[in-house]
């Protein structure tokens, strides 16, 4: 039974929302970031990059406090305003090739701790604690965890009804996406949404494992420090964007390796031959078309690698995942990649980009070899989560990617 409730979001005023909302900080090039900070005083980037005000790079706990200060300034100036009533927020984006629509809500930390909110990736404790300290200092969260749930006719009907009305926000971003947001605070509708989510045995994290884990740490620490803890305090929840499984888009991550671990091209191909049937595809761009098929770009040529299934044993859902197969049969034993999360010899390229980008990276001699595969399905991800297993890092690149500063959850 998933506890997913409305909350009083802090949001940009309607006239400034298009200027405030930003992409994730990491998505900006140095030039783009500089332009936004110089020419857009309302950008949320000013909050998460507070050192710009002092023309100084600031990090650590000092940065956390300055982030809070910049945020309070936006609140004091009326750029951000908090809703009076607890609400759900229906958020829709239209891009050139996809439409996404989901519900922004507060989700229960207890559900995360009890595996009602299921996860499929490992987290790094250092990152968990760092973000927990950040949340504790700034007192708000602006990046929703992306959750997915089984398609629901009831929720679809409610969102269709709400979307027939004028949205609170309607604006376009520089990448030509159009954004809409509706505020749902009618008691009848909010109760219907809450009850429908309560009927679900579980929901799944699609993106945001570290944010969820950090919120759990923050809640545990806050409970210990609050002798009057009731379970309903804001720290018992974290902000999420819930989207139906059918509306989620999963892409693969290509793998790029800097060297062949001391082997020649011929030696490497001979080693691969034990586990894969190899075909030289020449210089023509090649992408795999079936599960357990891989593409490889090496020394100016594409190869197809077909797993020899008679040699490989499938023992659980994890063993059947292509990113796992590539890791245990190629990256680790042949190329010496022991830690794919931290090894500097491996890089990842989202499969949303073309195979040409893998070719380009190798041709420019930044990498020696590149591998591609088909994207995982949502069913594969759920099987891993249901079995209590974890996937290799960078197994999925999931969309939608959400903007910062659109709705903010205060603790």
């Amino acid at each position: 039974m998933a506890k997913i409730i409305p909350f009083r979001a802090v949001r940009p005023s309607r006239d400034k929302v298009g200027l405030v909302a930003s992409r994730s900080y990491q998505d900006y090039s140095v030039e783009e970031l500089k332009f936004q900070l110089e020419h857009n005083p309302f950008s949320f980037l000013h909050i998460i990059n507070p050192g710009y005000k002092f023309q100084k790079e600031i990090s650590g706990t000092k940065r956390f406090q300055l982030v809070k200060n910049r945020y309070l300034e936006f609140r004091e100036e009326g750029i951000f305003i908090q809703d009076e009533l607890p609400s759900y927020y229906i958020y829709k984006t239209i891009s050139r090739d996809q439409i996404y629509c989901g519900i922004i809500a507060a989700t229960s930390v207890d559900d995360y701790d009890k595996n009602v909110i299921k996860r499929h990736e490992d987290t790094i404790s250092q990152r968990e604690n760092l973000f927990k300290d950040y949340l504790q200092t700034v007192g708000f969260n602006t990046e929703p965890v992306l959750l997915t749930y089984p398609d629901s006719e009831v929720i679809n009907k409610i969102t269709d009804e709400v979307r027939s009305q004028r949205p609170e926000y309607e604006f376009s971003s520089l990448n030509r996406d159009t954004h809409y947001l509706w505020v749902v605070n009618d008691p009848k509708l909010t109760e219907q949404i809450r009850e429908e989510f309560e009927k679900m045995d579980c929901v799944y994290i699609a993106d945001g494992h570290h944010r969820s884990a950090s919120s759990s740490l923050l809640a545990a620490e806050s409970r210990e420090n609050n002798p009057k803890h009731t379970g309903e305090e804001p720290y018992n929840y974290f902000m999420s964007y819930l989207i139906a499984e059918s509306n989620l888009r999963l892409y693969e991550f290509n793998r790029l390796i800097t060297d062949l671990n001391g082997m020649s091209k011929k030696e490497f191909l001979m080693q691969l031959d034990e586990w894969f049937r190899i075909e030289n595809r020449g210089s023509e761009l090649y992408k795999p078309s079936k599960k357990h098929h891989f593409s490889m770009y090496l020394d100016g040529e594409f190869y197809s690698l077909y797993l020899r299934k008679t040699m490989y044993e499938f023992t659980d859902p994890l063993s059947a995942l292509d990113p796992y197969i590539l890791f245990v049969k190629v990256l680790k034993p042949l190329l010496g990649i022991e830690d794919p999360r931290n090894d500097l010899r491996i890089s990842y390229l989202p499969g949303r980009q073309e195979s040409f980008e893998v070719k380009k990276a190798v041709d420019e001699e930044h990498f020696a070899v590149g591998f591609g595969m088909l994207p995982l399905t949502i069913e594969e991800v759920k099987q891993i989560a249901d079995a209590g297993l974890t996937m290799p890092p960078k197994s999925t690149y999931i969309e939608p990617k959400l903007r910062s500063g659109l709705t903010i959850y205060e603790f």
Side-chain angles (χ1 to χ4, degrees), residues 120-122 253 255 318 321-328 331 340-341 348 376 384 389-396:
H120 62 263
E121 286 184 5
D122 279 332
F253 270 101
R255 272 73 171 142
L318 180 60
L321 293 186
D322 286 344
Y324 180 81
I325 293 170
L326 187 68
F327 174 65
V328 297
L331 301 184
R341 189 183 299 276
Y348 300 91
L376 300 183
I384 293 294
L389 301 169
T390 55
M391 302 190 300
K394 301 294 185 182
S395 289
T396 55

Side-chain angles (χ1 to χ4, degrees), residues 85 88 123 129 146 164 189 198 230 281 294 350 362 364 386:
L85 297 174
Y88 291 107
T123 52
N129 281 287
L146 182 62
S164 67
L189 292 180
E198 273 193 349
T230 65
R281 299 281 180 163
F294 303 85
V362 175
E364 292 179 351
D386 290 342

Side-chain angles (χ1 to χ4, degrees), residues 14 130 132 179 191 209 229 247 289 291 297 306 358:
R14 181 185 284 181
L130 181 65
K132 183 265 295 180
H179 305 260
E191 184 63 13
H209 286 78
H229 170 79
N247 199 202
S289 58
K291 189 174 170 63
Y297 185 69
Y306 301 96
V358 174

